[in-house]
Amino acid sequence: MVEELLAAGIAAGIGIVVYLAGAARVVKQYERGLVFRFGRLRAGVRSPGFTLVVPVVDRLRKVNMQIVTLPVPAQEGITRDNVTVRVDAVVYFRVIDPANAIIEVEDYRFAVSQMAQTSLRSIIGKSDLDDLLSNREKLNQGLELMIDSPAVGWGVQIDRVEIKDVSLPETMKRSMARQAEADRERRARVINADAELQASRKLAEAAGVMADQPAALQLRLLQTVVAVAAEKNSTLVLPFPVELLRFLERATESQPAPRTGAQPQGPGAHPQGPEQAVGPKAVPAAPAPAAGQAHAPVHTPEPHAPEQAVGPKAPLRCANADPGLPRATSDDATGLPQPPPGPVTEPDPAPAPAPAPAAGTPSQAA
């Protein structure tokens, strides 16, 4: 009898140990447990620690509540300004509702990964290249909102999304490099021009001080000579006195300016300035005719242009005229040549032409 009781106790103990071994479960601190009895979710979530389930009847499903780092594969797309780029990102999320994460979606990790890829391609097409390169914070926030909207129903919360790298074509990289180089060169030129402007202002102030104090200019000249002599060269520097230059400058300023135009010489010459315009130039008279010849009519010369200035009036002379014959003189009032005094004979009239022979009349022999 005792032996039977002892055997039954041992069997019961073994059964209890086996039951406990099949029913005991341990939930870790970062996990939550869901119990399914005959495939139906039981109310309540098993907290971390030791818990028991009914063997064969219940099934415990553990859900990780830690933040998951999910890399998004590189996606190739065309930006709004028609530039082909490859962009990859990383998503940080965690489960906030274990029941929805297990029931509402088959694999919440895969679902979040696919949603991140489609959202990344969509955000590439809506953005410019400059935004992808310089305004990533705004793009990260927009991408986070696009992924978080459907993930809330899955019991998943998106903590943050970061764009890791933006790959550009080689041609675009070279173009951007040239643009950056041109911008740096422009800024360098602006800085050099500003420095030249400031230096010119300081030099102008220094020149004013040296003009007021001549001794300062001499000291500066001596410093220049010392600086040149300090180098090992064979150049001989002879300083030129500044006072001598100033003396020559004052002498040049005090010298009167030369008059323009030559003054006529002689007792009867009238002074004539460059601005006085004289009447028309005197035209020499034609040679006087010989005795018994008729005088040719005198033609009045045309006056010259008013802007032509000539010298004082002079008596008209003919180089080929006979000294014994009277000479033509010019009138003092008009400056035109006058015929010599004496009787003027009229020229012989030209003979009249012979009348033409009438028609039918025989011509006379020569």
Side-chain angles (χ1 to χ4, degrees):
M1 185 66 183
V2 176
E3 293 179 358
E4 293 179 357
L5 292 175
L6 182 60
I10 293 174
I14 293 174
I16 293 173
V17 171
V18 173
Y19 176 80
L20 292 176
R25 296 290 185 273
V26 177
V27 179
K28 297 180 181 180
Q29 181 66 34
Y30 54 86
E31 295 176 340
R32 297 296 182 269
L34 298 176
V35 178
F36 290 87
R37 179 168 291 178
F38 296 109
R40 183 183 181 88
L41 179 64
R42 296 198 62 179
V45 178
R46 299 298 175 91
S47 58
F50 182 80
T51 184
L52 295 174
V53 296
V54 178
V56 182
V57 177
D58 294 342
R59 185 171 62 90
L60 182 66
R61 181 76 179 269
K62 299 177 182 179
V63 181
N64 191 346
M65 304 297 290
Q66 292 177 321
I67 295 178
V68 181
T69 303
L70 180 64
V72 180
Q75 302 297 315
E76 185 173 354
I78 300 176
T79 61
R80 190 165 57 183
D81 49 356
N82 298 326
V83 179
T84 303
V85 294
R86 290 177 59 88
V87 183
D88 57 352
V90 58
V91 181
Y92 301 91
F93 69 94
R94 62 189 180 92
V95 177
I96 57 176
D97 190 350
N100 289 339
I102 298 300
I103 296 174
E104 297 296 335
V105 64
E106 180 182 3
D107 186 357
Y108 63 89
R109 289 175 179 265
F110 182 75
V112 172
S113 175
Q114 294 300 314
M115 180 58 64
Q117 295 180 26
T118 57
S119 300
L120 182 58
R121 284 194 294 267
S122 177
I123 206 71
I124 289 174
K126 296 179 181 179
S127 305
D128 295 333
L129 180 61
D130 294 339
D131 295 336
L132 289 175
L133 297 177
S134 60
N135 195 10
R136 293 190 179 182
E137 289 295 332
K138 184 178 179 180
L139 298 180
N140 292 338
Q141 294 176 3
L143 190 59
E144 179 180 348
L145 292 177
M146 294 177 66
I147 301 175
D148 189 62
S149 298
V152 172
W154 304 335
V156 178
Q157 179 183 2
I158 305 298
D159 282 351
R160 60 186 305 175
V161 180
E162 293 288 344
I163 296 176
K164 292 197 301 183
D165 187 22
V166 178
S167 300
L168 300 176
E170 294 297 329
T171 57
M172 183 59 63
K173 290 181 180 180
R174 289 193 293 268
S175 299
M176 295 179 65
R178 289 194 299 267
Q179 180 182 0
E181 183 179 0
D183 185 66
R184 288 193 297 268
E185 184 177 358
R186 178 185 61 83
R187 285 184 292 179
R189 290 184 178 181
V190 170
I191 294 174
N192 290 336
D194 191 12
E196 291 291 339
L197 178 60
Q198 295 180 5
S200 62
R201 290 177 180 175
K202 295 298 182 181
L203 289 175
E205 294 178 2
V209 174
M210 290 183 180
D212 297 338
Q213 300 293 334
L217 185 58
Q218 293 291 340
L219 292 177
R220 180 59 181 168
L221 180 60
L222 294 177
Q223 291 177 358
T224 305
V225 172
V226 172
V228 173
E231 300 178 359
K232 296 180 179 181
N233 52 24
S234 59
T235 304
L236 180 60
V237 180
L238 297 177
F240 196 78
V242 182
E243 288 78 4
L244 181 57
L245 295 177
R246 294 180 178 176
F247 173 76
L248 295 177
E249 182 179 0
R250 288 194 298 268
T252 305
E253 292 177 355
S254 61
Q255 183 177 1
R259 299 180 181 179
T260 57
Q263 299 294 336
Q265 303 294 333
H270 298 281
Q272 177 178 323
E275 69 281 354
Q276 295 178 352
V278 186
K281 294 182 179 179
V283 180
Q293 295 182 0
H295 292 277
V298 178
H299 298 279
T300 304
E302 296 181 359
H304 293 275
E307 64 272 7
Q308 294 179 354
V310 297
K313 298 179 182 179
L316 302 178
R317 298 185 61 183
C318 182
N320 298 327
D322 189 1
L325 296 178
R327 300 176 182 176
T329 57
S330 59
D331 191 1
D332 292 340
T334 61
L336 300 178
Q338 299 296 331
V344 179
T345 60
E346 296 293 336
D348 295 335
T361 306
S363 58
Q364 296 178 359

